[in-house]
Amino acid sequence: MNLSILYALAAAALFGASTPLAKSLGLGLSPVLLAGLLYLGSGAGLAIVRLIRDRGWTPTGLTPSEWPWLLGAIAFGGILGPVALMFGLTRTSGATASLMLNLESVLTALIAWLVFRENADRRIVLGMIAIVLGGVALSWPQGGADSHDWTGPLAVAVACLCWGIDNNLTRKVSASDALFIAGAKGLIAGVVNCSLALYLGAQIPGLAQLAPILLVGFLGYGISLVLFVLALRGLGSARTGAYFSTAPFLGAALALLVLGESVTGAFWIAAALMAAGVWLHLTERHAHAHQHEATEHGHRHVHDEHHQHEHPLEWDPAMPHSHLHTHSPIKHSHPHFPDIHHRHRH
């Protein structure tokens, strides 16, 4: 299996588990404060990991033209998205919110296709339609004691839109250091959201509640985002979002098995539709003759068919390494995704 697919699935597993856990751990906290603490745990943890990895502070590697993309991603994905999700969790069940998060992959793909011109195969489109129908089934008003107010699913959908924008903006900087990208998002979003929550009158919880929230943030928002950036590098926005759409199933299962939440018949209809959509995504294949234009960038790589360049010093071409390098124009055909080397017209 493509290593980038494993990154996307691992990111999905960590983030999927974080949604019902955040709902359970955040009882009594404002949505803004909970979002801030989750991202603060992510940013602080990743900053420590990066310092240990590099044995001190090292340059970010971002070019001046990449900073606006990263700051936009932080605003949508690190500030607006989490607040909308935490608000939605106060007005709907963890299982329903987990499945609603499948809409993130749909909105990520739509933005990728319409704005950034990634290609869309028939299986991907059909899968997105199935996921949308599942979201409609989940948000349809239900009668009885287990019914929920429509503002909950709507808030989760707004969070998905924010993250869809974030995913496409992050794709523009995905060749850079994934630890720095995820850590910067966590620290900035955490400080902004926590400061806003404290200004509005919230109080930091005690250590017994704070520690597990920070840990969930580090794993579900931090490590998950690092893996997601690595997947974006290899798969592009739409397909990374498609693989990431497996996250809500783990979250929903955790909410049902661990938290003991009850669900309606609409939940199982939505689960079946979304499962069909994810299966279509996971079984998609894409290959055709394509042209690589000349480009220059830096990222971790080995010398394969896309990396045939000289080094000023002797280097083992089979060893992964990172440096600024130039790609010469090349035309060939092989199965591929719209990764950082395959951003071409169809």
Side-chain angles (χ1 to χ4, degrees):
M1 181 184 287
N2 187 309
L3 186 59
S4 296
I5 295 176
L6 293 179
Y7 288 147
L9 293 175
L14 288 171
F15 182 72
S18 75
T19 301
L21 289 175
K23 179 179 175 66
S24 175
L25 294 171
L27 294 175
L29 300 182
S30 76
V32 179
L33 180 61
L34 180 56
L37 292 175
L38 288 168
Y39 264 111
L40 205 57
S42 160
L46 293 179
I48 294 170
V49 170
R50 188 169 186 262
L51 287 171
I52 294 173
R53 183 199 67 179
D54 298 339
R55 299 180 181 180
W57 176 257
T58 56
T60 66
L62 288 172
T63 64
S65 63
E66 289 177 318
W67 277 102
W69 298 113
L70 178 58
L71 293 175
I74 291 171
F76 281 99
I79 299 174
L80 299 177
V83 171
L85 175 62
M86 295 308 117
F87 177 80
L89 286 175
T90 66
R91 294 175 177 267
T92 190
S93 70
T96 295
S98 292
L99 279 185
M100 279 293 294
L101 287 173
N102 268 305
L103 293 177
E104 179 185 343
S105 69
V106 178
L107 296 169
T108 296
L110 287 175
I111 295 168
W113 298 334
L114 299 177
V115 180
F116 294 97
R117 302 300 181 185
E118 280 192 18
N119 72 294
D121 290 344
R122 187 180 353 180
R123 294 181 73 85
I124 293 292
V125 174
L126 291 174
M128 292 302 178
I129 292 172
I131 291 172
V132 168
L133 291 176
V136 171
L138 274 179
S139 57
W140 199 263
Q142 302 290 319
D146 292 329
S147 64
H148 56 257
D149 149 8
W150 62 270
T151 58
L154 178 61
V156 177
V158 170
C160 291
L161 175 60
C162 290
W163 280 321
I165 296 171
D166 166 27
N167 294 339
N168 280 280
L169 297 180
T170 301
R171 176 185 183 265
K172 305 289 281 186
V173 297
S174 60
S176 300
D177 183 2
L179 268 180
F180 173 77
I181 292 170
K185 179 182 291 186
L187 283 175
I188 295 174
V191 169
V192 170
N193 284 325
C194 285
S195 299
L196 178 60
L198 293 175
Y199 174 77
L200 294 174
Q203 292 186 335
I204 300 295
L207 186 61
Q209 186 179 15
L210 178 63
I213 290 175
L214 294 176
L215 179 60
V216 168
F218 173 62
L219 296 173
Y221 283 63
I223 299 299
S224 174
L225 181 56
V226 171
L227 295 170
F228 189 86
V229 172
L230 293 175
L232 280 175
R233 187 181 297 175
L235 300 174
S237 301
R239 284 160 182 79
T240 299
Y243 287 108
F244 195 73
S245 61
T246 58
F249 292 99
L250 177 59
L254 187 65
L256 295 175
L257 298 176
V258 178
L259 303 182
E261 293 184 351
S262 60
V263 294
T264 64
F267 175 89
W268 296 112
I269 294 172
L273 286 167
M274 290 179 172
V278 170
W279 176 79
L280 286 167
H281 291 159
L282 296 177
T283 54
E284 181 253 356
R285 297 290 180 269
H286 181 74
H288 62 90
H290 55 276
Q291 174 78 37
H292 293 270
E293 303 298 335
T295 186
E296 184 178 65
H297 60 186
H299 62 92
R300 190 171 174 82
H301 64 280
V302 296
H303 282 201
D304 54 20
E305 61 182 324
H306 296 108
H307 296 89
Q308 299 294 327
H309 50 260
E310 299 287 337
H311 287 87
L313 301 175
E314 191 168 334
W315 195 279
D316 182 353
M319 291 298 295
H321 57 288
S322 179
H323 61 88
L324 191 67
H325 55 278
T326 300
H327 292 270
S328 300
I330 181 176
K331 185 175 183 178
H332 58 183
S333 176
H334 60 86
H336 64 279
F337 296 101
D339 57 27
I340 57 174
H341 299 113
H342 296 88
R343 296 176 181 174
H344 49 259
R345 294 185 179 276
H346 290 76

